[in-house]
Amino acid sequence: MSRASVHGLIRRAGELGVAVQSVRGRGYRLAAPLQLLDEARLAAGLAPLGIHVLCLAEVDSTNARLLQLAGAGAPHKTLLAAEWQTHGRGRRGREWVGVLGASLAFSLLWRFARPVSMLSGLSLAVGVALARALGRLGARGLRLKWPNDLLWQEDKLGGILIEMSGDMLGPAAAVIGVGINLRAGEQLAGRLGVPVTDLESSCGRRLERNEVLAALARELDKVLEVFGREGFTPFREAWQEIHAWQDQEVRVLEADGRILAGHARGVDEQGALLLNTGAGLLRILSGEVSLRRGA
Ligand code: BTN
């Protein structure tokens, strides 16, 4: 291979977030081994739950691809994970980026018997499932920021993007997208629009990507089974227990640009944020919440 091709590959690895070291007189090596997804192992572990696993090397967005597959009849509990997303989607039209071999990006198709209008609080219940699974892996002090950012020490460790497929009036099919910064949070700094951290920092130990993904899928399966029957109510207390800003003074930026200020009083049974303002207790259905520091 020519020197130029080698340099091209090293540059590409750098763009994917993979650290490559140059070893004088010998060549190049990865700074750390790459942990890749193991479809066969994941599929064997999750098949007893009825979860169908698909792993792709590269995709535009696991949510976008799974929405297409859902439209073409993909079964309930299809889980699509990818090593690399070229157009990972974040909430509010933002981009979601990862680091190759050091992030998790996956989507789970869940077909509910109820219509979309009866799924309020779904993304909050998903947040509870993720926090529970990661807590069991050793993450201490994870918090949820309304509606569903996963935080550690106030920095973002993961995000959830739920998109609906098909007919809005009939039984709902939800594509539940999850992105987790597993390690290498420092390489993501400044790229997700907010301060970031990673799961290994919160656990204080090295984790195995496939194990983390399997643990998340198992807990999601448990929580979504209950959510499908009973809605958000059984998860409300658990959500509030790990609410990052419970009873603190926050600001809410609404879609129309209005800013509301008040104390965050938790969530109601539909998953709406309860904001105590001078004008009384308001139910917030969408918006960006931030802490009013030193207010
Ligand atoms: C957020 O903005 O906090 C939501 C981030 C969600 C990212 C995940 S990564 C897997 C799935 N596919 C996507 O394109 N987005 C979600």
Side-chain angles (χ1 to χ4, degrees):
M1 199 179 258
S2 71
R3 226 168 237 280
S5 321
V6 171
H7 281 138
L9 286 174
I10 304 286
R11 198 178 336 106
R12 177 81 181 117
E15 285 163 10
L16 298 175
V18 178
V20 178
Q21 296 172 339
S22 143
V23 185
R24 226 189 143 85
R26 297 188 60 195
Y28 299 92
R29 68 176 178 206
L30 295 173
L34 262 190
Q35 271 182 5
L36 297 179
L37 297 172
D38 183 340
E39 187 183 76
R41 185 173 144 205
L42 286 164
L46 297 173
L49 300 176
I51 298 178
H52 314 273
V53 178
L54 284 170
C55 293
L56 300 177
E58 185 173 297
V59 70
D60 50 353
S61 143
T62 57
N63 265 29
R65 179 65 62 89
L66 193 52
L67 281 166
Q68 285 166 3
L69 295 176
H76 175 50
K77 300 197 190 187
T78 300
L79 186 149
L80 175 67
E83 295 291 4
W84 187 250
Q85 298 188 110
T86 54
H87 293 92
R89 299 176 179 176
R91 286 178 52 241
R92 308 182 139 245
R94 293 195 195 104
E95 193 194 1
W96 181 263
V97 291
V99 174
L100 190 71
S103 304
L104 279 175
F106 68 93
S107 304
L108 176 65
L109 171 63
W110 200 272
R111 295 187 182 276
F112 291 96
R114 308 168 174 212
V116 177
S117 57
M118 297 191 63
L119 299 184
S120 50
L122 172 61
S123 70
L124 282 77
V126 168
V128 169
L130 302 183
R132 277 184 185 163
L134 300 180
R136 239 175 264 130
L137 288 171
R140 292 284 156 263
L142 294 188
R143 294 281 177 268
L144 292 169
K145 177 186 147 190
W146 187 86
N148 51 19
D149 280 1
L150 204 50
L151 305 184
W152 183 62
Q153 297 184 342
E154 297 195 7
D155 296 340
K156 188 153 171 169
L157 188 151
I160 299 163
L161 178 68
I162 300 185
E163 298 183 80
M164 294 295 167
S165 159
D167 179 3
M168 289 295 131
L169 298 175
V175 166
I176 299 164
V178 177
I180 303 282
N181 311 328
L182 192 70
R183 68 181 73 96
E186 67 285 351
Q187 287 180 59
L188 290 169
R191 299 177 65 203
L192 290 179
V194 288
V196 290
T197 187
D198 60 55
L199 181 60
E200 286 189 348
S201 304
S202 72
C203 291
R205 69 180 180 101
R206 180 99 175 157
L207 297 162
E208 206 283 317
R209 275 174 92 222
N210 292 282
E211 273 169 27
V212 178
L213 177 48
L216 292 171
R218 269 189 227 108
E219 191 61 36
L220 278 170
D221 184 64
K222 240 193 244 167
V223 162
L224 292 168
E225 291 285 359
V226 176
F227 182 93
R229 289 192 306 270
E230 301 171 44
F232 178 58
T233 307
F235 304 104
R236 181 179 171 209
E237 220 173 289
W239 194 93
Q240 290 186 158
E241 270 169 23
I242 53 171
H243 179 196
W245 297 334
Q246 184 74 5
D247 294 326
Q248 299 196 48
E249 231 182 318
V250 297
R251 268 180 220 280
V252 180
L253 173 63
E254 295 198 295
D256 60 6
R258 267 194 323 159
I259 294 180
L260 297 169
H263 283 88
R265 295 290 187 228
V267 290
D268 69 10
E269 303 211 329
Q270 274 72 50
L273 180 71
L274 299 173
L275 186 72
N276 206 355
T277 69
L281 196 63
L282 301 182
R283 290 182 74 236
I284 309 291
L285 297 170
S286 74
E288 278 292 280
V289 186
S290 58
L291 198 57
R292 274 188 86 182
R293 284 176 203 283

